[in-house]
Amino acid sequence: MMEEHRHVTIYDIAEKLNLATSTISRALKDHHTISDKTIKKVKQTAKEMGFVPNTLAAGLRGNKSRTIGILIPTVTQPFLSSLISGIEITAQKSEYSVLIMQSHDSYEMEVNLAKSLYSNRVSGVICSLAMETKDTSHFKQFSNNNIPLVFVDRVPRDYDTFRVVINNYLAGYKATKHLIEQGCKRIAHLTAGSEFGTLYNERKRGYMDALIEHELPVDEKLIINLKEMTYEDGVKACNQLFDLKIRPDGLFAPGDILAVSAVQTAKKRGIKIPEEFAVIGFNDDPISKIIEPNISTITHPAEKMGKAAAELIIKNLKSAKEEDAKEITFLNTQVLIRESSKRI
Amino acid sequence: MMEEHRHVTIYDIAEKLNLATSTISRALKDHHTISDKTIKKVKQTAKEMGFVPNTLAAGLRGNKSRTIGILIPTVTQPFLSSLISGIEITAQKSEYSVLIMQSHDSYEMEVNLAKSLYSNRVSGVICSLAMETKDTSHFKQFSNNNIPLVFVDRVPRDYDTFRVVINNYLAGYKATKHLIEQGCKRIAHLTAGSEFGTLYNERKRGYMDALIEHELPVDEKLIINLKEMTYEDGVKACNQLFDLKIRPDGLFAPGDILAVSAVQTAKKRGIKIPEEFAVIGFNDDPISKIIEPNISTITHPAEKMGKAAAELIIKNLKSAKEEDAKEITFLNTQVLIRESSKRI
DNA sequence: TATTTTAGCACAACCGATTGCAAATAGCTT
DNA sequence: AAGCTATTTGCAATCGGTTGTGCTAAAATA
């Protein structure tokens, strides 16, 4: 029965057992210089007294907190919450904690939160960049101080550090190729931003190359640049597409929400899916297999990516070789063919 | 230009300015005993040197870490990720960090993670209980040590601490009443567990009282107890309902996923919604307004609940009155009437 | 029995910010 | 110029583990 206030410390245990605190500390970690008898006695007493180690103290001493910091735009997107889940599960196994911060896609917040993570002396950082972020110098504080840094999904192009991503170019290519194989001739595409190397741009490149390779024209009218990747913007864009003199007969949407908006807009207009309009989305969000018709999509292995990122950090922390290769981890994606695009 | 390794500390600043570390510490927090001139000078130098305070050290000293611990079953459920979002946003405003742990509905993990949060000397804990949890004595360590504890949504019945919840009884009542008002006579219900006082049980009580109040019979065959609140279990249950000699003409599902499975199962059988079968769900998950027909639902203000919980902790930390009333915060829910139940 | 080795533990200095208290300097008053 | 108050700043202890170094006693070897 533990009581009020003052926490139990190794000093309390040391006093009770007439041992030095160093012995207690070592005994609790099964240090080889401590006899089994002492270890057993210490552990027993610690449990009895209700001792719980103070990670702050340990962290201060070692200047590391056994904490992984996550800096992402938001936690509510299915992809990102699954990413968190993957990280947390992996971290938990190695007794790491997970600190979460949301940038809400704001560059300014990202800068502040990065500082805050550093202030918390996190052992490592996993980040998916804010939409607004162009400059990534606020991450130098981690690199400079030997804090492993892993970017996931939305990664910077020009920063030499760990990256866990999918091959967006290839995914875009595969998605588009699938539509072509289903007989689509005029495939539309939604995208965002325009800088080279970004995730949406890569998908677009894959889309275009697939068209070119199959000798289909790339029609700028069929490529719509969205401000935001929301359901509403998707509806707007699709209406625009359907108003064209010659309607597209297929769509590669780089997100399932957009695919949903396309499917529903088409249905509302009486356009038959997939016969008149085939749709493929991206991410394999839960909704994609519930909506009717089910939406074909590209898998985006969120949990796996989280796991991979966390493992990179934990592994890197262990080995701590100064010059570990800052490799890029590519995870595979698959084309899931469902009703929305299956014509043959 | 900051460099390698050793972090900049207040000692470094003190040395550079020929001041005591105490002065630096105070200056950085605008302590009134430090002159404006010194404050300005210190802050300037701190910035130049790239000083970032070490929260571990501060936390150790004060035995509090400005961190809020979140202990929930999983982060991937929409309700819970929104909850996190609300907490994080609120915490961020007061410069708190957020530590997240997933119990995966396991009692054993919950116990371990609670200890881990305590080990991290979190300033407060926000918890939604694991499905398995019956005994809550592992939370005593927080109460005993003056660490504010707030339960959200899935709360214990017999623990005297802060609770942030909706009135599940009333919500169940309102949902059912709505169906009755739409002319339903045989309303089915899905539920889980059976102990008194749990969230699902409260909803069921509301459901039953609404029936009774409107002089409709409570038919046990129309109440199905699910193992898990999954889409698949929902489909199974609905098929069971539709196989009855006299089919129900309405359903109150205590979760939108279940409502979706009901809607889709009904459609597959050619049962018209809402004419032959009216459905109302719970939570207002994103999917409920996307699926066709749109699903009527009960709002479950996740972000608000997160905000409320975080505020309770932060407020409680400030005032620190030993005997603050451990009140229960009830947030309102609304009936959102959409296509799936609108008959008149 | 003398000597070397090894096991087992204690000492004390950290890690970096905070804070009560003492001390020093400055500013006013008479 | 002495006396006093108000303003600033410094000293040193503290939070609780961790860890390099050194000492002691027991075990192993000669």
Side-chain angles (χ1 to χ4, degrees):
Chain A
M1 297 301 117
M2 267 305 84
E3 257 98 34
E4 283 291 340
H5 250 212
R6 273 292 165 286
H7 310 268
V8 179
T9 73
I10 55 169
Y11 290 88
D12 301 326
I13 303 176
E15 191 174 20
K16 182 159 214 165
L17 293 180
N18 253 313
L19 289 173
T21 59
S22 53
T23 306
I24 308 299
S25 172
R26 289 183 171 114
L28 289 172
K29 334 184 91 62
D30 293 310
H31 198 278
H32 67 280
T33 63
I34 308 292
S35 65
D36 287 352
K37 203 171 47 172
T38 308
I39 289 181
K40 190 174 285 181
K41 194 168 56 180
V42 169
K43 285 190 175 174
Q44 171 67 22
T45 313
K47 181 173 268 181
E48 279 170 19
M49 298 179 73
F51 170 77
V52 179
N54 183 328
T55 48
L56 297 179
L60 174 58
R61 170 63 213 242
N63 219 63
K64 35 97 189 169
S65 61
R66 273 192 107 70
T67 296
I68 295 178
I70 304 183
L71 182 41
I72 52 180
T74 168
V75 304
T76 52
Q77 276 178 30
F79 171 75
L80 290 172
S81 66
S82 295
L83 180 78
I84 295 174
S85 184
I87 296 171
E88 202 273 340
I89 290 171
T90 312
Q92 213 178 96
K93 283 184 190 143
S94 300
E95 312 222 89
Y96 277 78
S97 300
V98 167
L99 213 47
I100 292 202
M101 314 211 159
Q102 305 185 84
S103 70
H104 295 285
D105 278 316
S106 145
Y107 168 71
E108 193 190 335
M109 294 194 93
E110 191 177 274
V111 172
N112 287 332
L113 296 175
K115 190 187 279 188
S116 177
L117 285 177
Y118 180 69
S119 190
N120 274 285
R121 297 297 187 270
V122 290
S123 315
V125 174
I126 295 173
C127 174
S128 188
L129 288 174
M131 203 76 120
E132 278 183 24
T133 301
K134 308 275 181 272
D135 175 65
T136 52
S137 56
H138 48 299
F139 289 103
K140 288 290 177 203
Q141 58 192 318
F142 302 117
S143 320
N144 286 342
N145 287 289
N146 255 343
I147 299 172
L149 171 62
V150 179
F151 285 103
V152 176
D153 199 45
R154 209 181 288 155
V155 307
R157 324 192 260 305
D158 53 356
Y159 199 115
D160 181 35
T161 183
F162 293 107
R163 269 161 282 184
V164 174
V165 290
I166 57 171
N167 188 329
N168 283 293
Y169 169 81
L170 186 58
Y173 177 87
K174 289 195 294 188
T176 310
K177 186 173 175 199
H178 163 66
L179 292 179
I180 295 171
E181 286 168 353
Q182 300 295 313
C184 295
K185 301 287 180 203
R186 293 176 50 72
I187 300 172
H189 180 51
L190 308 179
T191 186
S194 57
E195 301 114 276
F196 183 78
T198 61
L199 177 161
Y200 291 121
N201 226 259
E202 285 292 292
R203 292 179 192 173
K204 180 177 161 190
R205 276 184 50 229
Y207 154 81
M208 295 198 297
D209 280 6
L211 293 182
I212 292 166
E213 193 170 294
H214 292 81
E215 298 179 341
L216 290 173
V218 173
D219 183 347
E220 286 296 336
K221 283 196 298 300
L222 297 182
I223 302 177
I224 297 188
N225 211 301
L226 300 183
K227 285 254 167 44
E228 288 184 283
M229 296 311 216
T230 61
Y231 181 81
E232 289 73 22
D233 280 25
V235 170
K236 224 177 290 172
C238 289
N239 274 318
Q240 189 179 325
L241 286 172
F242 292 147
D243 284 340
L244 289 174
K245 269 162 299 186
I246 314 178
R247 256 192 354 228
D249 59 0
L251 169 72
F252 164 40
D256 283 337
I257 299 297
L258 298 176
V260 169
S261 60
V263 164
Q264 297 199 328
T265 309
K267 278 167 82 173
K268 211 158 279 167
R269 288 191 171 221
I271 298 171
K272 288 208 184 68
I273 294 176
E275 296 80 359
E276 300 179 69
F277 189 64
V279 176
I280 186 165
F282 212 108
N283 283 1
D284 192 22
D285 280 351
I287 197 170
S288 66
K289 52 179 161 297
I290 286 181
I291 206 84
E292 289 171 327
N294 290 176
I295 295 176
S296 300
T297 193
I298 305 289
T299 57
H300 198 180
E303 267 208 39
K304 264 192 203 162
M305 291 172 85
K307 182 168 181 246
E311 278 169 355
L312 276 174
I313 286 188
I314 294 168
K315 195 178 62 187
N316 199 242
L317 240 33
K318 275 192 193 145
S319 65
K321 286 169 201 154
E322 277 293 326
E323 277 317 328
D324 250 337
K326 298 286 190 278
E327 80 258 23
I328 302 185
T329 309
F330 281 101
L331 297 200
N332 287 327
T333 61
Q334 280 176 280
V335 181
L336 294 186
I337 302 172
R338 294 199 274 237
E339 297 163 13
S340 75
S341 71
K342 202 183 203 156
R343 288 165 141 185
I344 51 180
Chain B
M1 297 295 118
M2 265 305 82
E3 258 98 36
E4 281 292 342
H5 249 215
R6 273 291 163 287
H7 310 269
V8 180
T9 72
I10 56 170
Y11 290 87
D12 301 325
I13 304 176
E15 191 174 21
K16 183 161 213 163
L17 293 180
N18 250 314
L19 289 172
T21 59
S22 52
T23 305
I24 309 298
S25 173
R26 290 183 174 113
L28 289 171
K29 329 186 95 58
D30 292 311
H31 199 278
H32 68 279
T33 64
I34 308 292
S35 67
D36 287 353
K37 204 171 48 174
T38 308
I39 289 181
K40 189 175 285 181
K41 193 169 56 180
V42 169
K43 285 190 174 173
Q44 170 67 24
T45 313
K47 181 174 268 179
E48 281 171 18
M49 299 179 72
F51 169 77
V52 179
N54 183 328
T55 48
L56 296 179
L60 175 58
R61 171 62 215 242
N63 218 64
K64 36 97 192 168
S65 59
R66 273 191 108 70
T67 297
I68 295 177
I70 303 183
L71 181 42
I72 53 180
T74 169
V75 305
T76 50
Q77 276 178 29
F79 171 75
L80 290 172
S81 67
S82 296
L83 181 78
I84 295 174
S85 185
I87 296 171
E88 201 274 339
I89 290 171
T90 311
Q92 211 178 96
K93 282 185 190 143
S94 300
E95 313 220 88
Y96 277 77
S97 300
V98 167
L99 212 47
I100 292 202
M101 315 210 159
Q102 306 185 85
S103 70
H104 295 284
D105 277 317
S106 145
Y107 168 72
E108 192 189 336
M109 293 194 93
E110 192 177 272
V111 172
N112 287 332
L113 296 175
K115 190 186 279 190
S116 176
L117 285 177
Y118 180 70
S119 190
N120 273 284
R121 296 298 186 270
V122 290
S123 315
V125 174
I126 296 174
C127 174
S128 188
L129 289 174
M131 203 73 121
E132 278 183 23
T133 301
K134 307 277 181 270
D135 175 65
T136 52
S137 56
H138 49 299
F139 290 102
K140 288 291 176 202
Q141 57 192 318
F142 302 117
S143 320
N144 286 342
N145 287 288
N146 256 344
I147 298 172
L149 172 62
V150 180
F151 285 104
V152 177
D153 199 44
R154 208 181 288 156
V155 306
R157 323 191 261 302
D158 52 356
Y159 199 115
D160 181 35
T161 184
F162 293 108
R163 270 162 281 184
V164 174
V165 290
I166 57 171
N167 188 329
N168 283 293
Y169 170 81
L170 185 58
Y173 177 86
K174 289 196 293 189
T176 310
K177 186 174 174 199
H178 162 68
L179 292 179
I180 295 171
E181 284 167 357
Q182 300 295 313
C184 295
K185 301 289 181 201
R186 292 177 50 73
I187 301 172
H189 179 53
L190 308 179
T191 186
S194 57
E195 299 115 276
F196 183 78
T198 62
L199 178 159
Y200 291 121
N201 225 259
E202 285 291 291
R203 292 179 192 174
K204 179 178 162 192
R205 276 185 50 230
Y207 154 81
M208 294 199 296
D209 281 5
L211 292 182
I212 292 166
E213 193 171 296
H214 292 82
E215 300 178 340
L216 291 173
V218 174
D219 183 347
E220 286 296 338
K221 284 196 297 299
L222 297 183
I223 302 177
I224 298 187
N225 211 300
L226 301 183
K227 285 256 168 43
E228 289 184 284
M229 296 310 216
T230 60
Y231 181 83
E232 290 72 21
D233 280 25
V235 170
K236 222 177 292 173
C238 288
N239 274 319
Q240 189 180 325
L241 287 172
F242 293 146
D243 284 341
L244 289 175
K245 269 162 295 181
I246 315 178
R247 255 188 358 223
D249 59 359
L251 170 72
F252 164 40
D256 283 337
I257 299 296
L258 298 177
V260 168
S261 60
V263 164
Q264 297 199 328
T265 309
K267 278 167 82 173
K268 211 158 280 169
R269 288 190 172 220
I271 298 171
K272 287 206 184 69
I273 295 176
E275 296 81 359
E276 300 178 69
F277 188 64
V279 175
I280 186 164
F282 211 108
N283 283 1
D284 192 20
D285 281 350
I287 197 172
S288 64
K289 50 180 165 296
I290 286 181
I291 206 85
E292 289 171 327
N294 290 175
I295 294 177
S296 300
T297 194
I298 305 290
T299 58
H300 199 181
E303 266 209 39
K304 266 193 202 160
M305 292 173 84
K307 184 169 178 246
E311 278 170 355
L312 275 175
I313 286 187
I314 293 167
K315 195 177 63 187
N316 200 243
L317 239 34
K318 275 191 192 147
S319 65
K321 285 169 202 154
E322 276 294 326
E323 276 318 327
D324 250 337
K326 298 285 189 279
E327 79 259 23
I328 302 185
T329 308
F330 281 101
L331 296 201
N332 287 326
T333 60
Q334 280 176 281
V335 181
L336 294 187
I337 302 172
R338 293 199 275 237
E339 297 163 14
S340 74
S341 70
K342 201 183 205 156
R343 289 165 142 184
I344 51 180

